[in-house]
Amino acid sequence: MNVRTNTTQVISARARRAAVAGALLLAALAANPAQAGTNEQARRIYERIAGVPPSAAELSTMVSALSACGSSCAPGAPQLVAAAQTATAAPTFYSVTLKNMVIPWTNRDQTVFAPFNDYAATVIGMVRDDVDFRTALSADILYVVNGVSPAPSMGDNNHYATAEANGVDLLANLKQTSQSAAYGTPTAATAGLITTRGAASSFFINGTNRAMFRYTMMNHFCTDMQTLMDTTRPADRIRQDVARSPGGDSRVFLATCVGCHSGMDPMAQAFAYYNFNGTVVGDGTNTGTMVYTAGQVQPKYLINSNNFVYGFVTPDDSWSNRWRGGVNASLGWDPTLPGSGNGAKSLGVELESSDAFAQCQVVKVFTAVCFRAPLASDQSAISSLKGSFKSNGNLKQVFQQAAAACPGQ
């Protein structure tokens, strides 16, 4: 036999064997995804939660927690959750990871480069203290920073800007108080994050207060108005400022405008007594202060009445959730609640009690910790995270459980 032919046949046989071996290896990997070793799992969990490498002592503590798993822990193992508790005790979890996640919720540009403010401080404090996050849109709660002058004020952001400029340790120095105590807002008018100065200065300023509703949907339901459109809802609560024949064509209103406004306007009516009197600065620190006029509808709810004089005229702050029927019933509204009420506080309870609110929180945390959006293969983990959150509202625990869900990826 020709030497060249023999050599070619040998190489070809080896190539076939290598291809088969490679295929078998890939199949095995697909069936049994590779998991990082204990040390790597511990380090990865810490870095993803705290944003910095662990110290030798912290790494040792986490590895000890994982030791019962052997060479590595399977995703979701309780030992991984226990190890993650070390990471959520790190100061940088609060001053970096949480802060960077929350700051975009506080401004219309949704940028992380906005100043630290009371909205962000309150989220961070609630997570640190295991405060039930299912009260985030209704509670009379506020977090301030110990030892920082000037004192917090509804008139400016100087207290929080100073804390950020001085690099204050948020883990050690945040202090829980109330908006009624710090700002003088009537307790009945407080609605958690909605009535913080950070939210009010961004979403109650100018306009018609629909911005507050829209950004609350974006920040806490993880969806914008376009995906919530439902043209089957009654249009009787749509305000006068919405033209019924935009551009002279009523079909535009019936096919698009009514889809958002029929649901949004009845709920945004809860904000009828709120306004932010100030000037847009452009850096996320709008000047001015929030005002609340109990029993008196803000003029912004009555503007442009000639657009459709037969439209709804807002008489008070009563609201109704028309999305309990139609396609948006899938948002999972709490059947024990009436679906209507007066003011921002009761609307906040309606929103934060929904299945969509819980789903949004856990998806945001999973994405922040795992550095990717959940995949189809993660839906079991997401369901477990949501179940845990709905049972106790503990967002810190969600961070720990999310890190345990992707420890070696």
Side-chain angles (χ1 to χ4, degrees), residues 154-373:
M154 184 54 87
D156 59 60
N157 190 53
N158 295 342
H159 174 77
Y160 298 94
T162 301
E164 182 174 43
N166 293 340
V168 172
D169 180 354
L170 300 179
L171 170 61
N173 293 288
L174 284 180
K175 174 186 176 182
Q176 183 179 339
T177 181
S178 64
Q179 294 173 33
S180 55
Y183 294 153
T185 308
T187 300
T190 59
L193 303 175
I194 291 172
T195 49
T196 58
R197 187 183 189 278
S201 65
S202 291
F203 312 131
F204 279 151
I205 194 169
N206 301 329
T208 59
N209 282 358
R210 292 183 178 102
M212 180 61 79
F213 184 79
R214 180 198 173 200
Y215 280 91
T216 300
M217 290 293 100
M218 293 170 68
N219 292 330
H220 298 292
F221 274 50
C222 294
T223 188
D224 204 350
M225 296 306 300
Q226 295 91 329
T227 59
L228 295 167
M229 290 180 62
D230 181 3
T231 57
T232 70
R233 298 300 88 200
D236 59 307
R237 293 277 287 270
I238 300 179
R239 293 182 227 164
Q240 294 174 309
D241 63 324
V242 180
R244 268 46 171 194
S245 298
D249 189 345
S250 62
R251 293 174 300 176
V252 175
F253 171 78
L254 294 172
T256 58
C257 304
V258 72
C260 290
H261 286 281
S262 60
M264 172 170 58
D265 281 19
M267 285 196 271
Q269 191 174 330
F271 309 135
Y273 301 157
Y274 296 87
N275 190 25
F276 189 85
N277 286 331
T279 303
V280 176
V281 176
D283 64 350
T285 57
N286 296 341
T287 63
T289 186
M290 187 185 81
V291 295
Y292 175 76
T293 52
Q296 181 179 344
V297 175
Q298 288 289 327
K300 61 171 61 180
Y301 274 74
L302 308 172
I303 65 173
N304 298 323
S305 59
N306 288 331
N307 283 352
F308 186 70
V309 295
Y310 304 108
F312 185 73
V313 179
T314 304
D316 52 36
D317 67 349
S318 61
W319 61 269
S320 175
N321 183 0
R322 303 291 177 83
W323 287 343
R324 280 182 168 257
V327 296
N328 289 323
S330 63
L331 296 174
W333 306 104
D334 187 340
T336 68
L337 296 175
S340 61
N342 287 84
K345 185 182 287 290
S346 61
L347 176 63
V349 173
E350 174 82 346
L351 299 176
E352 68 198 8
S353 301
S354 68
D355 189 73
F357 178 85
Q359 175 81 9
C360 180
Q361 311 319 306
V362 303
V363 167
K364 286 188 296 189
V365 170
F366 183 95
T367 303
V369 172
C370 297
F371 295 164
R372 60 175 176 81

Side-chain angles (χ1 to χ4, degrees), residues 109-190:
D109 292 334
Q110 297 185 301
T111 176
V112 71
F113 299 109
F116 182 57
N117 53 49
D118 60 346
Y119 187 130
T122 300
V123 173
I124 294 169
M126 292 179 75
V127 173
R128 185 198 66 180
D129 294 344
D130 299 325
V131 176
D132 189 343
F133 206 73
R134 296 169 300 174
T135 66
L137 303 181
S138 63
D140 181 7
I141 190 170
L142 184 75
Y143 275 80
V144 299
V145 188
N146 272 328
V148 173
S149 181
S153 167
M154 184 54 87
D156 59 60
N157 190 53
N158 295 342
H159 174 77
Y160 298 94
T162 301
E164 182 174 43
N166 293 340
V168 172
D169 180 354
L170 300 179
L171 170 61
N173 293 288
L174 284 180
K175 174 186 176 182
Q176 183 179 339
T177 181
S178 64
Q179 294 173 33
S180 55
Y183 294 153
T185 308
T187 300
T190 59

Side-chain angles (χ1 to χ4, degrees), residues 1-20:
M1 178 180 289
N2 185 281
V3 174
R4 178 175 295 179
T5 300
N6 185 51
T7 302
T8 300
Q9 291 175 337
V10 170
I11 294 175
S12 178
R14 289 175 178 173
R16 287 195 298 271
R17 288 195 296 270
V20 171

